[in-house]
Amino acid sequence: TRPKPVEPAVQILTIHLSRATIASSAQAERIVLHEARLDVVPNQPIRIVANGEFRNVPVTLDGTGGTLLDAMRGEAEWWPLTLSLRTSATSLKIEGNVGLPFGSPRADAQLSLIGERLNELNRLLAVEWPALGPYSLSGHVMLANGTASATDVKAMLGASDLTGDVSVQYIGRQRISANVVSQRIETRDF
């Protein structure tokens, strides 16, 4: 039998005015935390609430997961997760489950992204998108066995819409398949 995981002695951790640098082979990114609170209370869902900046974009995060012991034991296959990420102009919400152990490429979640203009994501995502919008994207996302699939996808950009299913196989022979329909494409939106 496995030894019982030890529960943490620290149950609430609060951080004020902190900076961190995340380095990869490509570049280093700075994260500024104005305030963050992590609650790890025995037999209660883990909760994190934070606000700060990433790439000089103010961001707030509110997340709730399963219990720490559920994650540490490794007995369950899934760990519940609700995550809300907001900037001044964009809102991302994810509700579902991630595969255990952490790092395994498995997820099953409902995703919702809403914003005013695509270019408001440029600094945050290090992209160069045009000032199109408003926009929204939602769907049920699954990640398993080398495939990412999104079903019941609903996308809107301005007055244009798109609905359907998309699947991307990213391990082995790579493949993209989609079955999408639009009720309206407004050329002025592009």
Side-chain angles (χ1 to χ4, degrees):
T1 64
R2 285 185 173 177
K4 183 179 177 183
V6 177
E7 294 188 37
V10 176
Q11 295 180 8
I12 297 173
L13 175 65
T14 303
I15 299 170
H16 296 278
L17 298 175
S18 177
R19 297 179 196 279
T21 301
I22 300 172
S24 69
S25 58
Q27 62 187 24
E29 299 288 353
R30 194 180 94 212
I31 297 172
V32 177
L33 281 177
H34 298 293
E35 186 170 4
R37 177 182 166 124
L38 175 64
D39 296 344
V40 186
V41 179
N43 301 316
Q44 296 293 316
I46 291 175
R47 175 115 194 264
I48 184 168
V49 178
N51 67 67
E53 296 175 26
F54 180 67
R55 295 184 176 145
N56 295 318
V57 176
V59 177
T60 60
L61 170 76
D62 189 340
T64 303
T67 69
L68 180 62
L69 285 180
D70 286 343
M72 292 171 58
R73 283 187 194 126
E75 296 169 357
E77 290 187 43
W78 297 99
W79 197 70
L81 179 66
T82 299
L83 184 67
S84 174
L85 184 69
R86 295 182 186 275
T87 68
S88 62
T90 304
S91 173
L92 170 68
K93 185 161 188 167
I94 301 170
E95 291 185 71
N97 297 291
V98 293
L100 290 176
F102 289 127
S104 65
R106 296 182 311 130
D108 181 2
Q110 186 68 29
L111 176 133
S112 172
L113 176 68
I114 298 170
E116 285 301 313
R117 298 273 176 238
L118 285 175
N119 68 332
E120 292 167 344
L121 294 170
N122 287 350
R123 278 191 301 158
L124 188 66
L125 301 178
V127 294
E128 291 295 326
W129 288 342
L132 302 176
Y135 64 91
S136 66
L137 175 67
S138 66
H140 182 228
V141 178
M142 292 196 66
L143 183 63
N145 302 320
T147 301
S149 61
T151 57
D152 195 27
V153 173
K154 293 177 179 68
M156 187 268 306
L157 179 62
S160 300
D161 70 345
L162 196 66
T163 61
D165 304 325
V166 178
S167 178
V168 177
Q169 182 176 325
Y170 58 89
I171 293 180
R173 186 170 182 233
Q174 297 175 351
R175 190 178 103 190
I176 298 173
S177 62
N179 181 13
V180 294
V181 175
S182 175
Q183 298 300 315
R184 180 176 179 173
I185 302 270
E186 180 62 56
T187 56
R188 288 178 290 183
D189 291 334
F190 304 97

